[in-house]
Amino acid sequence: MDLTVCQQLEKLVEDLTTSGQHQLDKATVKTLKKICKTSDEYVKHTYHLLNMQLQKDHAEIRLSAFQTMDELFQRSHAFRELLIAEFQEFLELTVESNYDFPLPPPKGAADKLKKQALQAIQRWQEQFGEAYKKLTLGYNFLRYNRKVDFNNIAASSNVERTRQEQERARIQAIKLQRAKNALKEMEETKPEIDECLTQAESCFQLLLPRNDAMDLNITPPKNGDQDTNNTLPTTSHGWKQSRKEQHGKDINSDIFMKKEQARVQKLLIGEGSLLSWDRERVNNGGDSLKVPTWDGQEGDSEEDSDDDEEDVVRHHGLGSHKYNISIEFNPDDSGIREDRDNADIMDTLRDMNKLIVGRFQPAVGRWLEVFSKAGMEQKEIKRAIDIKQALTAASEKCAELGILAEQKTSKQQRKEGRKGGQDDSSDDDFVEVEEKEGYEPRIPDALRAEYGLEPAKPETKTKPSALKPRTVPAPASASTAAASASAATTSGTKPPTKKSWHPFLSGDNNPSDPTSYSAALSIATLQPSQDNRGEKRKVGFDAQPSTSGASPTKKELLAKAPVVPFGMDLYTWGEKARKPTIVRDESLHRFWRPSDEGEIEVNRLDPSKERTITFVGEFEPVKWTCKAPLSNGKLCPRMDRCKCPFHGPIIPRDETGKPANPKDAEREERRRMEQQLAETEVSEDWRDPELQRDIEAATGIAMGTVSGRGKGKGKGKGKKLSNLTDLKKVKNTTRRRLERKVFNSGSVKRVATEMNKLDQRRYNDKFGNQFNYALN
Amino acid sequence: MLNFLSCRENGTLDPLALVRAEATRRTFSLELSKEQDVKRIHASGVNSLDLDPVEGRYLISGGADGVIAIYDTHNLSGTPSNTSEAVCTVGRSHRHVHKYSVETVRWYPHDTGLFTSSSMDKTLKVWDTNVLLPAEVFQFEGTVYSHAMSPVAKKHCLIAVATMTSIVTLCDLKSGSSTHILKGHRAAVKCARWSPRNPYLLATGSQDNKVLLWDVRSAKSSLMSLDQHNGELATSTAAVNTAHNGHVNGLCFTPEGLHLLSFGTDNRLRLWDTATGRNTLVNYGKICNESKKSVQFTVSCGSSPDVVFVPDDSSIAMFDVFGGTSLHRLVGHYNYVQCCVFNPDTQELYSGGSDSNILVWVPDLGRGEDYEESKKQKAEPSQRSQTTQAYQDTWSSDED
């Protein structure tokens, strides 16, 4: 054994193993083999050197060491003996045969090492298995005990497979659990849904009687006071007609029937008197509406119902068929009219629709998704689908009837409306009272244009008597009261009456119009609870709105008044601040007694007077983006309030991301220059080896390590591992960097003190005046 | 060797001495057999091995998969390379297979027509080898860790069963019932061994760190409790005598029955005098023992000094029994070694491990190379076997 040769061997092994490449440098291997060929002693020495390298915790070193070993294993018997004597250890280090010692990072190299090692072991086994018993044993161990599939090494090993299976099982279990929860939820909600659907269904039935339930003797929904016998034949004929036209189509026919019925009713109502057929015909003729002649059709198409018709006609004392019934059919009119009688039903229906659309349908959709993901039983999925279909059908029906869930406040509106309309005052219009602070009861004519109103008509002033003070319910809100009060002041004459007036049938009473009466009412009704509270606690405030004068100044003040929770302050409002009485106990001491005269110092911050009010201010959402130009051509989409963490303070920018102010532009330019400078400095470090590698790749001459070493000699050991993947650098991820910032002791301490301070303050606020907490 | 032979020729040497010398030589040179092999039957670890005491030919193995297999170890193939085939197996499909892992299998000491197996399924089965059906099944309350039959008993036919309960049960094969129980341990009993000298002497090792010696004729209490400190420690009284500082999960008598070896999870092996119950204080050093179950180890027979083979992690350690010096280490298993059994006639060792291998260790007397040589001569140069090639260096010419 030559010492220099040994040193050379060491150097060669180190070069090979620390190259960081996934392929060995052929020239170096050749030199190594040349030396090893001369003597088995060198082989042994090399083996020990390689074994040392193989135990390093760096997958790239291990990979290179293994590749070198593979080369020698195929050549030297001595090497094989040595390696196979310690084959268990070798397996642990290369193919992860011991689960307690996983392969070190980086992962790419580790995977490659494992794969190559398994391939090599299979190759060795084929080549030398007979001669080396332990090799066979090791191979069998991997094959049978570790379940390595040598035919398909690329496939993951047993461990990974089991891990994947476990993961899959875990996810499946979670899904199943979710599905179970959903199922439970479904079971719980099912009665609710059923109830809702039943309600909706019965509402439909109430609104639209079914065909089979329809008979001549059944009276249509009541038409209030105007419901007379004379209208009956008309409507029933109308139904008959529609039934013939739309036989079989259930809901549609229902709707159309209803429409027709409603139309006819309306016509009747509109006339306000008993209608005769002729009169209606005349009317319709005057209106130039399309008039289908009913009896003409009946004669040729519907003989089977002739008897019925006869009956009907006779029942009602009508002599002949020669009546023209005009049926106004308006396909644009989608939905049924709502009036006082069916308002409750409509309300319920609307609520149900809201419930279905807003709550049940999304829930069912969610369950279905969960079920299908978890692969639940067909039965459950089917049930969910059934529920969904039922819900969809119900909501579609609602939609067809024009009942939309969006009309949120309509219920309240209608209630008010009904009350208003109860006395049949039949007011056609109201003055649209604007809901606003500082209410102005009258707008001078000169200012009308300013308010966006049409020039005053004499009629508008006289109308708003709909809400007479006596009709306003006692607990009405302040604003309602104000409105009514104003109405009372202005109303004098009775407006021209129209019998069938209804606040919601008048076209100009649109809730979306803020100036409309219904909108005002809706807002008013939304507030009552709040306002009631306010009334209760405000001492001296007149709680009877109908009698109060409701001066505008007061209203203004009321608008300004803060809303505070009820407490001792309000309880003792207006009372004179009481001086705390000091109770002195009789001293029981024989000689000593406390002085009576001594002034008892009253704490300046008397707790009975001190109030802590937290002022938070209003949250103002950030509406702007940073908009600094990014490298990919886009603009920075970050929405920070003051400062973007990447682009500094947020400044006004134009469409292309350029700063609007020239001063800002200048500053930005400067910053960019600095950054560039810094970047080039950093890049100097790594550009050199990169270039070198490029040259190596181009020329095919291995100058990398040699020249690297030559250069790095002065720098010593630090340079040695430069070709390897830096394990520490790999870890330099965004998460790491953030961790470094967030978890460094300084910031942790800062946050901790801040939190402590907050706590302290809260305690002070709550208990600061109690002596037993004072010391904390 | 030649010297011994010539001395023997001259009549100057005792024939026993020659035998002993050769046995010792062979025992000391045990290596993993290159030619002999045992067929792979068990899908998981091999828990127990036993060689039939009559011929030393049939090897029985019990696996963690509940399978029991019987191998013929004799090489009848005519070539040195031989794989011991299974004569019969109680496989997973067998009607009477043990439900869980088989912990111990034992031949009946006087005949191969009977063997016993105990398992984690709380049963001890007595099998008829020829029809491979259980002749008797004993049920126990706890899982059975180990059982033993006296190799020398003529007057009784008792099986000592060590179970998870602290009671040692004695099952009588004659009556087919458990005749009596031995109470003395306070925790699970891991191992039980009969003395090869005294037919009534039983040693049991337990999880309570104690080794108790029993005379089964007096079931009242144990004969003695082995004390690792020989009563020298101030606190050691008869009540708290401990043999180890960990669970005792291996016991083995020396072949002449004068000494007892105990193995504990404190990674120690101790040698006891069975007559006095004293610790001989032989120091074997640290021997790795992490097994939660019983560990089977063995002592060679006929060599001088005698050698104990103890499973040490994934290898088998060889120690001089009375000197305590480590002689050799048999490395070949890829996982924990659970059991080993020594063949006193051929000085071969069989070992089973968690890697489901049964390995044969034979005396390596350099004969393999002679055989290769002869084979090489026989073979044509053009058709040299691959095996021969494997031993050659194959440096390629371009490395010159």
Side-chain angles (χ1 to χ4, degrees):
Chain A
M1 286 264 275
D2 192 357
L3 191 64
T4 51
V5 178
C6 283
Q7 278 168 351
Q8 197 190 344
L9 268 180
E10 277 164 35
K11 193 171 152 293
L12 282 172
V13 168
E14 196 169 313
D15 283 353
L16 276 173
T17 51
T18 56
S19 70
Q21 305 293 308
H22 287 193
Q23 302 294 330
L24 289 179
D25 181 27
K26 283 195 181 108
T28 324
V29 175
K30 211 166 173 180
T31 339
L32 186 71
K33 282 201 270 194
K34 210 162 159 185
I35 295 170
C36 287
K37 198 188 172 186
T38 51
S39 165
D40 275 356
E41 291 299 312
Y42 294 128
V43 172
K44 278 175 192 164
H45 189 61
T46 317
Y47 171 75
H48 291 303
L49 288 172
L50 284 173
N51 210 13
M52 294 242 295
Q53 293 294 322
L54 198 65
Q55 287 169 14
K56 294 261 166 70
D57 274 342
H58 195 298
E60 283 174 2
I61 299 179
R62 282 198 194 182
L63 178 62
S64 303
F66 159 73
Q67 284 168 338
T68 323
M69 280 178 150
D70 187 22
E71 292 282 339
L72 292 175
F73 189 91
Q74 294 181 6
R75 299 280 185 273
S76 164
H77 171 66
F79 193 88
R80 285 194 286 266
E81 291 270 291
L82 285 167
L83 180 61
I84 282 169
E86 295 179 21
F87 204 55
Q88 282 100 329
E89 205 179 324
F90 175 79
L91 288 185
E92 255 175 45
L93 294 173
T94 53
V95 296
E96 233 175 352
S97 68
N98 190 343
Y99 303 142
D100 297 337
F101 303 104
L103 290 180
K107 194 159 184 314
D111 287 345
K112 193 161 187 188
L113 167 66
K114 196 169 171 182
K115 199 174 152 192
Q116 284 195 356
L118 287 174
Q119 277 167 346
I121 288 164
Q122 191 179 21
R123 208 168 52 235
W124 296 349
Q125 156 69 12
E126 279 164 14
Q127 212 169 343
F128 310 106
E130 271 180 68
Y132 300 95
K133 176 84 185 178
K134 273 192 77 181
L135 180 60
T136 318
L137 285 174
Y139 176 77
N140 285 337
F141 172 71
L142 288 178
R143 194 165 152 196
Y144 296 112
N145 290 50
R146 292 287 175 258
K147 305 277 190 280
V148 174
D149 185 3
F150 279 99
N151 296 324
N152 188 10
I153 288 167
S156 50
S157 73
N158 191 28
V159 206
E160 282 164 39
R161 242 173 298 159
T162 46
R163 205 177 296 146
Q164 280 168 1
E165 258 162 42
Q166 278 169 3
E167 182 66 19
R168 220 176 299 138
R170 197 178 64 86
I171 289 170
Q172 186 61 30
I174 290 171
K175 277 182 184 167
L176 258 182
Q177 186 57 44
R178 266 195 210 143
K180 265 182 200 160
N181 289 346
L183 192 62
K184 208 173 136 203
E185 199 188 328
M186 192 169 91
E187 297 297 346
E188 281 166 3
T189 330
K190 187 80 201 314
E192 229 175 301
I193 293 176
D194 283 345
E195 197 191 342
C196 170
L197 283 174
T198 324
Q199 273 195 43
E201 193 49 45
S202 42
C203 284
F204 286 135
Q205 276 181 4
L206 282 173
L207 282 175
L208 318 162
R210 292 184 63 83
N211 283 347
D212 50 355
M214 228 180 284
D215 204 338
L216 292 173
N217 296 328
I218 290 174
T219 54
K222 282 175 189 169
N223 282 333
D225 299 333
Q226 289 135 357
D227 198 358
T228 60
N229 272 341
N230 294 39
T231 58
L232 270 174
T234 327
T235 45
S236 52
H237 275 291
W239 293 350
K240 206 76 193 171
Q241 171 73 4
S242 66
R243 210 162 103 202
K244 281 165 200 162
E245 282 170 3
Q246 317 245 338
H247 208 62
K249 287 179 195 169
D250 196 10
I251 178 72
N252 282 342
S253 65
D254 277 359
I255 289 169
F256 287 122
M257 263 184 274
K258 185 64 198 172
K259 278 177 197 164
E260 284 172 51
Q261 179 199 356
R263 179 59 70 183
V264 172
Q265 278 173 14
K266 202 203 164 206
L267 282 171
L268 296 173
I269 294 159
E271 286 307 313
S273 60
L274 308 180
L275 279 183
S276 72
W277 298 110
D278 298 20
R279 199 171 154 192
E280 191 180 354
R281 185 177 49 189
V282 168
N283 260 358
N284 288 324
D287 290 348
S288 74
L289 285 169
K290 182 157 174 54
V291 182
T293 47
W294 171 65
D295 41 4
Q297 283 175 355
E298 194 232 4
D300 48 37
S301 64
E302 306 289 335
E303 283 87 0
D304 58 332
S305 59
D306 266 359
D307 292 346
D308 284 354
E309 306 298 336
E310 295 284 350
D311 267 355
V312 172
V313 170
R314 219 170 306 147
H315 259 285
H316 297 284
L318 299 169
S320 86
H321 289 172
K322 300 285 185 287
Y323 293 115
N324 261 351
I325 297 179
S326 66
I327 293 163
E328 195 179 337
F329 184 82
N330 188 2
D332 297 333
D333 187 10
S334 61
I336 44 174
R337 290 286 174 165
E338 186 178 357
D339 52 30
R340 288 189 315 225
D341 303 303
N342 63 6
D344 276 331
I345 301 170
M346 297 286 275
D347 273 347
T348 321
L349 210 49
R350 218 164 267 142
D351 284 349
M352 290 304 138
N353 191 24
K354 204 164 105 187
L355 212 57
I356 287 169
V357 173
R359 192 163 145 228
F360 294 142
Q361 276 186 340
V364 173
R366 209 172 52 235
W367 298 336
L368 268 175
E369 197 181 336
V370 169
F371 287 160
S372 57
K373 264 187 191 164
M376 282 288 279
E377 280 177 47
Q378 207 62 33
K379 199 179 73 190
E380 307 300 341
I381 296 178
K382 201 159 177 300
R383 269 184 63 197
I385 289 174
D386 285 346
I387 293 174
K388 194 180 179 183
Q389 274 171 348
L391 290 174
T392 320
S395 65
E396 268 173 9
K397 270 188 191 178
C398 284
E400 278 182 59
L401 291 178
I403 296 165
L404 301 171
E406 277 77 37
Q407 293 177 324
K408 277 170 193 163
T409 56
S410 52
K411 191 177 174 181
Q412 281 94 348
Q413 290 171 9
R414 241 165 302 106
K415 269 182 187 158
E416 290 295 319
R418 251 204 335 272
K419 277 166 190 161
Q422 247 165 14
D423 57 349
D424 259 358
S425 59
S426 315
D427 296 24
D428 198 11
D429 278 314
F430 284 102
V431 165
E432 280 84 26
V433 180
E434 222 171 337
E435 173 66 20
K436 56 182 175 182
E437 295 177 352
Y439 174 69
E440 289 173 71
R442 314 184 66 154
I443 300 164
D445 286 354
L447 292 175
R448 287 196 75 82
E450 249 178 78
Y451 283 89
L453 294 171
E454 288 165 33
K457 290 173 202 157
E459 212 178 285
T460 43
K461 279 183 194 168
T462 59
K463 270 169 196 169
S465 61
L467 288 172
K468 284 175 186 165
R470 67 183 170 87
T471 64
V472 175
S477 63
S479 52
T480 321
S484 62
S486 72
T489 54
T490 50
S491 78
T493 61
K494 225 170 159 69
T497 55
K498 238 184 178 183
K499 282 267 154 84
S500 66
W501 180 85
H502 188 279
F504 285 84
L505 296 181
S506 69
D508 49 1
N509 194 4
N510 183 3
S512 62
D513 182 4
T515 61
S516 72
Y517 164 68
S518 53
L521 274 178
S522 71
I523 292 166
T525 43
L526 280 177
Q527 290 170 338
S529 58
Q530 228 179 359
D531 287 357
N532 283 346
R533 263 195 291 129
E535 283 164 20
K536 213 191 279 174
R537 69 168 180 264
K538 288 202 174 76
V539 184
F541 178 74
D542 189 357
Q544 300 304 312
S546 55
T547 55
S548 76
S551 68
T553 44
K554 186 156 207 168
K555 212 166 158 13
E556 243 170 87
L557 286 174
L558 269 179
K560 264 189 229 165
V563 177
V564 290
F566 183 73
M568 282 309 283
D569 288 331
L570 288 176
Y571 182 68
T572 58
W573 192 260
E575 287 175 31
K576 216 179 158 192
R578 272 177 300 179
K579 211 173 179 183
T581 51
I582 295 146
V583 181
R584 265 181 226 253
D585 285 333
E586 236 0 73
S587 176
L588 295 175
H589 202 272
R590 213 184 287 181
F591 311 116
W592 177 86
R593 68 188 293 272
S595 63
D596 274 335
E597 292 79 26
E599 267 300 307
I600 289 168
E601 195 189 345
V602 178
N603 194 356
R604 211 157 46 81
L605 291 172
D606 187 2
S608 63
K609 283 179 190 156
E610 192 190 46
R611 295 288 176 270
T612 314
I613 297 168
T614 323
F615 176 73
V616 187
E618 295 238 325
F619 174 71
E620 189 196 345
V622 180
K623 294 196 191 77
W624 52 86
T625 55
C626 170
K627 272 171 73 177
L630 296 174
S631 57
N632 60 1
K634 287 182 186 161
L635 299 181
C636 178
R638 282 192 63 98
M639 294 173 79
D640 295 288
R641 195 170 293 280
C642 305
K643 190 179 171 188
C644 172
F646 303 112
H647 304 105
I650 289 169
I651 47 174
R653 291 170 191 275
D654 61 8
E655 292 305 306
T656 55
K658 279 193 188 112
N661 290 347
K663 213 197 268 176
D664 288 334
E666 194 186 313
R667 196 171 53 226
E668 190 127 299
E669 187 64 29
R670 214 178 319 130
R671 210 171 63 125
R672 206 175 44 236
M673 291 290 280
E674 273 170 21
Q675 215 168 19
Q676 245 172 16
L677 210 68
E679 233 166 59
T680 44
E681 269 171 20
V682 170
S683 65
E684 282 303 319
D685 246 4
W686 54 267
R687 190 165 287 171
D688 196 15
E690 184 78 13
L691 183 70
Q692 212 168 336
R693 220 166 295 151
D694 284 347
I695 295 166
E696 265 180 41
T699 55
I701 300 164
M703 56 184 270
T705 47
V706 178
S707 66
R709 284 195 70 77
K711 230 176 133 190
K713 224 160 211 172
K715 286 176 193 168
K717 219 168 161 128
K719 194 77 186 172
K720 194 180 75 180
L721 297 173
S722 62
N723 287 331
L724 295 168
T725 310
D726 189 1
L727 294 183
K728 279 169 194 153
K729 199 176 175 184
V730 170
K731 284 171 189 162
N732 188 17
T733 56
T734 325
R735 190 192 165 83
R736 278 299 143 128
R737 287 199 299 274
L738 273 174
E739 267 176 6
R740 211 161 49 221
K741 277 226 159 65
V742 173
F743 293 128
N744 82 15
S745 56
S747 56
V748 168
K749 213 180 278 175
R750 203 172 56 235
V751 170
T753 48
E754 200 65 29
M755 301 279 276
N756 278 344
K757 220 187 277 174
L758 276 176
D759 274 355
Q760 195 81 38
R761 204 157 61 206
R762 214 173 55 227
Y763 275 117
N764 264 341
D765 288 354
K766 272 190 176 169
F767 309 118
N769 297 317
Q770 298 178 21
F771 81 95
N772 50 345
Y773 289 98
L775 296 175
N776 296 343
Chain B
M1 182 71 197
L2 290 174
N3 186 25
F4 271 108
L5 280 178
S6 60
C7 287
R8 182 72 199 96
E9 264 173 22
N10 299 337
T12 54
L13 192 73
D14 186 4
L16 276 178
L18 173 66
V19 172
R20 184 169 290 271
E22 181 62 12
T24 308
R25 192 170 75 95
R26 286 172 68 88
T27 308
F28 274 51
S29 60
L30 279 179
E31 272 305 334
L32 185 63
S33 167
K34 289 191 173 84
E35 286 93 20
Q36 285 193 52
D37 223 344
V38 177
K39 194 166 174 16
R40 198 187 170 88
I41 300 273
H42 296 286
S44 51
V46 179
N47 281 336
S48 177
L49 285 174
D50 196 23
L51 203 63
D52 85 280
V54 184
E55 285 177 283
R57 175 172 176 179
Y58 295 105
L59 182 74
I60 188 167
S61 71
D65 50 357
V67 171
I68 300 168
I70 300 172
Y71 307 91
D72 184 359
T73 59
H74 278 195
N75 180 5
L76 306 172
S77 65
T79 52
S81 65
N82 174 46
T83 303
S84 301
E85 294 292 336
V87 180
C88 53
T89 54
V90 181
R92 285 295 340 159
S93 55
H94 193 279
R95 193 149 46 100
H96 299 285
V97 71
H98 278 290
K99 212 167 160 193
Y100 305 131
S101 159
V102 174
E103 288 305 296
T104 313
V105 280
R106 292 262 169 236
W107 285 108
Y108 180 61
H110 311 296
D111 186 25
T112 51
L114 201 72
F115 67 89
T116 51
S117 67
S118 60
S119 157
M120 283 288 182
D121 62 6
K122 304 181 181 177
T123 58
L124 168 75
K125 290 185 179 175
V126 183
W127 298 81
D128 184 336
T129 320
N130 295 310
V131 292
L132 219 62
L133 287 174
E136 185 69 60
V137 179
F138 295 94
Q139 284 281 352
F140 299 96
E141 279 173 31
T143 56
V144 185
Y145 284 117
S146 169
H147 72 274
M149 284 194 78
S150 173
V152 290
K154 300 272 193 281
K155 299 254 174 73
H156 69 82
C157 207
L158 293 173
I159 308 173
V161 186
T163 64
M164 205 169 77
T165 57
S166 60
I167 300 165
V168 179
T169 316
L170 296 179
C171 300
D172 195 348
L173 280 185
K174 283 180 192 162
S175 65
S177 65
S178 41
T179 50
H180 50 282
I181 54 173
L182 305 175
K183 279 185 178 175
H185 285 296
R186 300 195 171 184
V189 187
K190 288 287 175 75
C191 50
R193 281 293 176 115
W194 292 89
S195 161
R197 186 182 188 87
N198 180 348
Y200 299 104
L201 187 67
L202 176 72
T204 55
S206 155
Q207 207 167 326
D208 60 3
N209 304 356
K210 280 186 187 175
V211 175
L212 296 183
L213 292 182
W214 310 81
D215 188 330
V216 293
R217 289 167 298 190
S218 68
K220 257 186 188 171
S221 67
S222 62
L223 210 57
M224 63 177 89
S225 172
L226 300 183
D227 178 18
Q228 56 180 323
H229 304 293
N230 288 331
E232 281 160 18
L233 206 70
T235 55
S236 77
T237 60
V240 291
N241 280 348
T242 55
H244 283 272
N245 296 324
H247 309 159
V248 183
N249 58 2
L251 283 174
C252 182
F253 281 93
T254 51
E256 75 284 354
L258 291 174
H259 292 91
L260 173 71
L261 282 153
S262 68
F263 191 28
T265 52
D266 56 351
N267 299 330
R268 298 279 172 231
L269 187 68
R270 294 193 206 284
L271 183 71
W272 310 86
D273 188 337
T274 42
T276 60
R278 290 183 71 81
N279 186 356
T280 57
L281 298 172
V282 176
N283 183 15
Y284 298 95
K286 186 187 171 188
I287 308 163
C288 194
N289 179 8
E290 289 170 4
S291 179
K292 298 261 189 298
K293 304 190 285 187
S294 111
V295 173
Q296 232 182 12
F297 65 100
T298 189
V299 178
S300 73
C301 186
S303 68
S304 149
D306 271 334
V307 176
V308 58
F309 302 94
V310 193
D312 179 5
D313 204 14
S314 66
S315 60
I316 301 165
M318 285 167 66
F319 293 100
D320 176 358
V321 173
F322 300 106
T325 48
S326 175
L327 300 172
H328 193 40
R329 181 171 287 270
L330 306 176
V331 185
H333 280 285
Y334 283 87
N335 213 328
Y336 297 115
V337 181
Q338 302 276 0
C339 50
C340 47
V341 57
F342 187 75
N343 187 344
D345 301 331
T346 58
Q347 283 86 33
E348 283 174 357
L349 184 77
Y350 301 93
S351 67
S354 298
D355 58 353
S356 69
N357 282 331
I358 298 173
L359 297 186
V360 187
W361 307 85
V362 294
D364 178 24
L365 301 172
R367 228 177 277 137
E369 281 156 39
D370 299 344
Y371 175 72
E372 289 300 331
E373 287 298 316
S374 64
K375 209 166 142 192
K376 212 193 293 178
Q377 281 163 9
K378 268 189 263 168
E380 289 296 311
S382 57
Q383 343 166 300
R384 287 163 72 188
S385 75
Q386 208 182 358
T387 321
T388 346
Q389 266 180 11
Y391 292 118
Q392 305 298 312
D393 284 354
T394 48
W395 297 108
S396 52
S397 56
D398 60 336
E399 273 123 30
D400 288 323

